[in-house]
Amino acid sequence: RASGHGPDGQRQTGQHSQDRVSVMGAQGGRVLLSVSDADYTVTRSLIYDASGLLYDSDGSGYDRLMYLTMGPDGPLYNATRQGPGGGWLSDVVDSRGNVLMTGLADVSWGDDLPDGVIAARRGFERGYMDLEGNWLYSESVFTSLSDEDASYYW
């Protein structure tokens, strides 16, 4: 939550005195902020536009948000969370925290990719996806049918 003044004129804040706020990016009229505690552990992400706070990830289960690509209605973000068994998963969310895609093993954005296209890994495939989760190009994560270790025999 942002600092401000309440109706009685008293300063109000949703942050602790040791919290650190970092600007992670500004795209499409929105600003992504990362809030860290005194140990530099990210505690939540905040998204603002000119009207104020759009999304606060506090309590969402997301570890952090990072800018991903522009969607039809503004910026989209990679929201990371721990999945079953402790592995990390990525969801694609909009500026209000609405989930567009969920459960990706990895997701990233490249400078050479057009808006609306992301690099992703889901299951045993990796490649490029559109924002509906359709593969534009995919390949297997496996490079061969056998283990590459020379001491492995069938």
Side-chain angles (χ1 to χ4, degrees), residues 54-96:
L54 294 176
Y55 179 67
D56 181 342
S57 70
D58 192 29
S60 67
Y62 292 127
D63 178 62
R64 68 184 64 223
L65 269 65
M66 297 297 291
Y67 172 75
L68 188 57
T69 188
M70 287 299 288
D73 298 319
L76 300 177
Y77 304 91
N78 174 12
T80 57
R81 61 184 168 85
Q82 281 196 303
W88 289 99
L89 296 174
S90 292
D91 296 342
V92 176
V93 300
D94 67 11
S95 297
R96 296 196 181 275

Side-chain angles (χ1 to χ4, degrees), residues 24 37 39 57 98 101 110 124:
M24 300 304 292
D37 62 17
D39 296 325
S57 70
N98 298 313
M101 286 189 276
F124 297 113

Side-chain angles (χ1 to χ4, degrees), residues 62-146:
Y62 292 127
D63 178 62
R64 68 184 64 223
L65 269 65
M66 297 297 291
Y67 172 75
L68 188 57
T69 188
M70 287 299 288
D73 298 319
L76 300 177
Y77 304 91
N78 174 12
T80 57
R81 61 184 168 85
Q82 281 196 303
W88 289 99
L89 296 174
S90 292
D91 296 342
V92 176
V93 300
D94 67 11
S95 297
R96 296 196 181 275
N98 298 313
V99 178
L100 303 175
M101 286 189 276
T102 187
L104 299 170
D106 189 25
V107 64
S108 62
W109 172 78
D111 290 332
D112 296 333
L113 294 177
D115 286 341
V117 176
I118 59 173
R121 185 167 51 92
R122 180 174 57 195
F124 297 113
E125 292 183 280
R126 64 179 170 218
Y128 302 111
M129 284 184 160
D130 65 18
L131 298 179
E132 286 79 41
N134 301 310
W135 289 112
L136 302 174
Y137 166 80
S138 69
E139 64 185 22
S140 172
V141 297
F142 302 108
T143 57
S144 72
L145 296 176
S146 66

Side-chain angles (χ1 to χ4, degrees), residues 1-14:
R1 294 175 206 127
S3 298
H5 292 85
D8 59 359
Q10 294 294 316
R11 182 172 168 79
Q12 296 178 333
T13 181

